[in-house]
Amino acid sequence: MSVLLIEDDVDLGKLLTQFLEMNDIEVVHARDGETALDLFERIEFDLAIIDVMLPDTNGFKIAKVFKQQKPDLPFLFLTAKNKKEDIISGLKLGAEDYITKPFEPEELVLRINIVLRRNLQNGNQTLDIGNSSLKHDELKLCTPQNEYKLTQKESELIAFIIKNKNRLIKRQIMLKTIWGENDYFLGRSMDVFISRLRKFFKDDPMIRIETFRGVGYIFRDN
């Protein structure tokens, strides 16, 4: 999971970066709008956290650019602007959440995981990988030779890996995003799900699932 954090307060930015990374969330920190837009164009992020008050612009303008160029990228505001009209403005722009300062870092991690799970569950588009496609809203996976009816959890997991294909996905991140927590027994359950996915994709030569024992997986789309 990769997050773009846009926060001009140096100390708060460092604190949040350290806390999020302790929770297996990769963070790229930008202190102004110009840097944030440059990073946004060059790097694929799973989520953006945007402060409204920035030295060279405001977070609402940044969010508008994000929404226009990458409408599928979820974002939330993290700001001291707590007036009702500010909150309404932020949510109208399409923000998944609006968190006002002060706040607890644990709350931010919880909100991030809720946003990512909600986006997976509510996805209604067709997602492609290799020669296969996931019809997320129909809970259906179509491979070159077969069509599989999926459970909700299988569909969420496949949607997650398609959106993160060709990069290492850590086990902890998969567990926290799909199952809600990093737990030994849930980890064993996830291993069973991965075994099912290998069977689902066995007739698609374009897809390869690589295991990095104790670390995570890469889902190759060749």
Side-chain angles (χ1 to χ4, degrees):
M1 183 192 309
S2 180
V3 169
L4 173 59
L5 172 64
I6 309 172
E7 170 59 63
D8 66 323
D9 186 309
V10 177
D11 292 334
L12 179 58
K14 288 181 179 179
L15 175 65
L16 290 178
T17 297
Q18 292 174 355
F19 190 84
L20 293 176
E21 289 179 343
M22 286 171 55
N23 284 271
D24 302 307
I25 299 173
E26 297 176 5
V27 180
V28 179
H29 179 203
R31 293 175 54 191
D32 55 66
E34 182 180 359
T35 303
L37 289 172
D38 178 63
L39 291 167
F40 169 76
E41 292 176 355
R42 294 188 292 106
I43 302 173
E44 287 294 324
F45 293 102
D46 299 302
L47 177 77
I49 301 172
I50 308 172
D51 187 7
V52 174
M53 295 182 289
L54 297 169
D56 57 346
T57 184
N58 70 69
F60 291 156
K61 291 182 179 179
I62 295 291
K64 287 180 181 178
V65 175
F66 288 3
K67 196 68 176 177
Q68 290 171 354
Q69 296 187 15
K70 296 182 182 179
D72 293 333
L73 176 69
F75 63 90
L76 57 85
F77 290 107
L78 182 64
T79 176
K81 292 180 71 67
N82 57 7
K83 291 183 179 180
K84 182 179 179 180
E85 54 266 32
D86 293 321
I87 296 173
I88 292 174
S89 295
L91 295 176
K92 280 185 175 180
L93 287 171
E96 298 284 345
D97 210 336
Y98 193 105
I99 305 172
T100 57
K101 303 174 183 178
F103 64 95
E104 293 295 331
E106 292 87 352
E107 177 189 0
L108 178 60
V109 172
L110 178 61
R111 301 277 189 106
I112 288 172
N113 287 323
I114 289 173
V115 167
L116 294 176
R117 286 203 301 273
R118 185 166 63 220
N119 274 268
L120 287 174
Q121 292 166 355
N122 293 339
N124 58 4
Q125 72 273 48
T126 297
L127 301 174
D128 297 319
I129 183 171
N131 295 317
S132 302
S133 61
L134 170 70
K135 298 181 178 179
H136 194 21
D137 55 336
E138 299 179 29
L139 301 180
K140 187 183 298 182
L141 176 68
C142 299
T143 67
Q145 298 181 24
N146 293 286
E147 183 176 287
Y148 299 97
K149 187 64 178 176
L150 305 172
T151 65
Q152 181 68 41
K153 193 69 70 178
E154 288 169 342
S155 185
E156 290 176 14
L157 181 58
I158 294 172
F160 180 74
I161 65 175
I162 290 176
K163 292 178 179 179
N164 291 277
K165 62 186 179 183
N166 296 321
R167 68 184 189 186
L168 178 63
I169 313 173
K170 293 182 180 179
R171 289 178 59 87
Q172 305 97 303
I173 292 176
M174 293 177 70
L175 283 167
K176 288 181 178 179
T177 303
I178 307 300
W179 279 269
E181 59 181 310
N182 182 10
D183 174 85
Y184 172 79
F185 294 103
L186 291 176
R188 297 300 297 271
S189 176
M190 185 178 72
D191 291 338
V192 173
F193 275 78
I194 296 297
S195 296
R196 288 185 203 165
L197 299 195
R198 293 184 191 277
K199 294 178 181 178
F200 291 160
F201 291 118
K202 66 182 179 181
D203 63 344
D204 190 337
M206 296 293 291
I207 300 173
R208 187 172 77 255
I209 303 175
E210 297 180 8
T211 301
F212 291 77
R213 191 170 300 279
V215 180
Y217 304 91
I218 294 181
F219 294 80
R220 301 283 187 191
D221 182 355
N222 299 315

